[in-house]
Amino acid sequence: MLGATRSLLPGMIGVWLACIATFAQDAIKTQPGKTLTVGFSQIGAESAWRTAETESMRSEAAKRGVNLKFSDAQQKQENQIKAIRAFIAQKVDAIILAPVVETGWEPVLREARKAGIPVVLVDRGVKVSDESLYATLIASDFVEEGRLAARWLAEKLSGQGNIVELQGTPGSAPALDRKKGFEEVLAEHPGLKIIKSQSGDFTRAKGKEVMEAFLKAEGKNIQAVYAHNDDMALGAIQAIEAAGLAPGKDILLVSIDGVRAAFEAMIAGKLNCTVECNPLLGPPAFDAVEKIVAGQTLPKWIKVTDQVFDQSVAPDVIESRKY
Ligand code: AHR
């Protein structure tokens, strides 16, 4: 009998220790500031940039032990609004939102505020009458990205030429701001004209489709493509090749993002320039959440800085690229 108890003892001690460990963990989880639960409403997976941003959020949450509730809106604002309402119902500690378009957020942001849940905007901004509806925006300066793309192109074309523009998602901050910045610089160069401009929705497939239509309408009248992201430029490259022209030579291409495939296209001589827009927003986003939950007030815009890369530097830089 005594022998049997003795042989059971190590197993029982193991079970007790496991129980104590579980209780201890639960106790830590329920202590404020220990295990954060954060809802992240993502736009979708329209581009390589977007996928890199999602990955950055997921891996940073895992690294910090944050319980991340992820929702993919498949490009629809209504899905993002539903996700935010679900996060509020689940009483998350904070919400991270990458808003697909700029307008229409005020009611749901008010609901989050009423529930005492801070909202951190990442990548894209919103237009609201009351800026206190969100804690901070962590994003690049899209207007400046447009200016950088235009300056690079103006120099390459010596201030003369016809440009076609592939715009991003209608109503989105990057589409509006990248257009604005580009046109601002173009105003200084009367010889440069945008002869066609249409949305390619930030996707490679749409970029190709719209470029095919531009080529049909304008043919050899096009000297350059300005694409609001790399994916659309990569689609345009396919359309240009299918039309029997040489992308990067017969038609110059400048785009925005700086994804790996853009560097590969530059090395292949098919894309001329990309303006970086850093998607690795996980670390600054969770830094912001932790500070806000700890009671700190953050600046309304935490600016992400970007650089311009063209064919001349692409081979030296490609290996150091992280997305
Ligand atoms: O908001 C950032 C933009 O959205 C990126 O430039 C684009 O690739 C993405 O889909």
Side-chain angles (χ1 to χ4, degrees), residues 7 31 38 47 63 89 125 161 167 171 182 190 210-211 218 224 226 246 251 260 290 307 309 311-312:
S7 65
Q31 274 173 24
V38 177
S47 61
K63 200 167 129 192
Q167 293 184 40
F182 193 83
V210 175
M211 189 65 204
E218 298 291 341
Y226 167 45
I251 298 179
R260 192 173 181 92
E290 284 173 6
Q307 305 174 55
F309 298 98
Q311 284 182 357
S312 67

Side-chain angles (χ1 to χ4, degrees), residues 45-285:
E46 73 282 4
S47 61
W49 188 99
R50 185 70 48 206
T51 312
E53 189 196 43
T54 298
E55 175 46 30
S56 173
M57 290 291 179
R58 284 192 193 277
S59 58
E60 193 61 25
K63 200 167 129 192
R64 296 183 188 217
V66 170
N67 174 21
L68 187 71
K69 295 181 180 295
F70 177 80
S71 169
D72 177 335
Q74 317 222 324
Q75 314 298 315
K76 291 198 176 82
Q77 185 181 32
E78 67 204 69
N79 291 345
Q80 290 203 285
I81 292 172
K82 270 188 210 152
I84 295 170
R85 291 200 168 124
F87 295 151
I88 294 171
Q90 291 165 66
K91 300 190 180 2
V92 297
D93 297 300
I95 292 170
I96 300 177
L97 168 65
V100 61
V101 290
E102 278 190 332
T103 55
W105 297 103
E106 210 146 321
V108 79
L109 290 181
R110 284 192 191 285
E111 289 168 39
R113 184 162 71 183
K114 201 168 158 212
I117 301 173
V119 176
V120 170
L121 301 177
V122 287
D123 145 39
R124 300 183 182 181
V126 297
K127 283 227 173 346
V128 282
S129 62
D130 175 2
E131 282 205 333
S132 73
L133 288 172
Y134 62 88
T136 187
L137 161 69
I138 303 167
S140 295
D141 184 340
F142 296 141
V143 178
E144 182 59 14
E145 290 172 351
R147 287 188 199 115
L148 291 170
R151 279 189 207 120
W152 184 90
L153 198 56
E155 200 191 317
K156 279 288 149 191
L157 289 174
S158 307
Q160 285 293 326
N162 293 330
I163 302 161
V164 294
E165 180 183 32
L166 292 165
Q167 293 184 40
T169 303
S172 69
L176 296 165
D177 292 352
R178 287 172 184 168
K179 182 168 187 56
K180 186 175 168 213
F182 193 83
E183 286 177 349
E184 213 178 278
V185 173
L186 242 56
E188 301 159 14
H189 300 273
L192 289 175
K193 284 187 190 64
I194 297 178
I195 55 167
K196 289 266 178 224
S197 181
Q198 202 179 308
S199 172
D201 224 359
F202 282 130
T203 70
R204 196 183 283 216
K206 271 280 193 76
K208 179 170 181 265
E209 193 184 304
V210 175
M211 189 65 204
E212 280 165 0
F214 286 168
L215 286 162
K216 227 179 212 170
E218 298 291 341
K220 293 198 170 146
N221 205 19
I222 303 169
Q223 276 79 54
V225 174
Y226 167 45
H228 289 191
N229 82 344
D230 289 340
D231 280 71
M232 291 190 293
L234 295 167
I237 287 172
Q238 291 173 354
I240 295 167
E241 285 179 325
L245 295 167
K249 294 179 187 74
D250 295 329
I251 298 179
L252 302 185
L253 291 108
V254 57
S255 55
I256 298 173
D257 274 359
V259 298
R260 192 173 181 92
F263 280 82
E264 286 163 358
M266 285 197 287
I267 291 167
K270 297 179 179 187
L271 178 73
N272 301 88
C273 177
T274 185
V275 177
E276 181 185 48
C277 177
N278 192 342
L280 306 179
L281 301 180

